[in-house]
Amino acid sequence: QVQLRESGGGLVQPGGSLRLSCEASERIHSMFVNGWYRQVIGKNRELVASMTDTGTTNYADFVKGRFTISRDNAKNTVYLQMDSLKPEDTAVYYCNLASAWGSPGVYDFWGQGTQVTVSS
């Protein structure tokens, strides 16, 4: 199965920026969706941003205008640029690769997560 490796997390001041990366062990050519999720201890995992194989993006309301999801197909890597970070953005961020509607196969792969801490 596909392995996903996140990186780029760390400690940052409020208003600062971080760029998360998610590298896949292999390329998926069928219909899929790349996603970034985050989870706080005691809370459910929630969608932050997503991008389909055709480039359609979707963002949670609480990150619109601040976060940007992008992809480098040559590197099998998805990015999440996070600007104007707030303390409430503190969470473990997870990379996700899932089959999209109409895909010939069904799958749902997750990375191990990378910690993002926003604090003064």
Side-chain angles (χ1 to χ4, degrees):
Q1 59 183 332
V2 177
Q3 303 292 317
L4 303 178
R5 182 189 299 172
E6 300 103 333
S7 62
L11 175 64
V12 65
Q13 300 281 314
S17 298
L18 283 175
R19 184 178 178 84
L20 305 184
S21 298
C22 174
E23 183 178 12
S25 61
E26 59 187 90
R27 181 80 168 97
I28 301 296
H29 297 94
S30 57
M31 300 176 68
F32 63 87
V33 179
N34 290 126
W36 284 100
Y37 291 73
R38 69 187 189 187
Q39 186 170 27
V40 178
I41 297 176
K43 302 292 183 180
N44 293 137
R45 192 170 298 184
E46 61 183 357
L47 175 69
V48 175
S50 65
M51 175 181 280
T52 68
D53 58 329
T54 56
T56 300
T57 58
N58 183 52
Y59 296 92
D61 288 339
F62 52 83
V63 303
K64 287 182 178 178
R66 299 190 298 123
F67 292 9
T68 304
I69 186 172
S70 62
R71 180 173 63 236
D72 186 333
N73 292 324
K75 297 181 179 180
N76 284 348
T77 302
V78 177
Y79 305 96
L80 182 67
Q81 177 66 44
M82 304 185 294
D83 299 319
S84 301
L85 284 162
K86 305 174 181 179
E88 50 263 46
D89 293 320
T90 297
V92 176
Y93 284 71
Y94 295 90
C95 180
N96 173 250
L97 173 63
S99 53
W101 182 89
S103 173
V106 178
Y107 50 84
D108 191 22
F109 302 117
W110 293 90
Q112 294 300 304
T114 184
Q115 177 70 48
V116 171
T117 301
V118 185
S119 180
S120 299

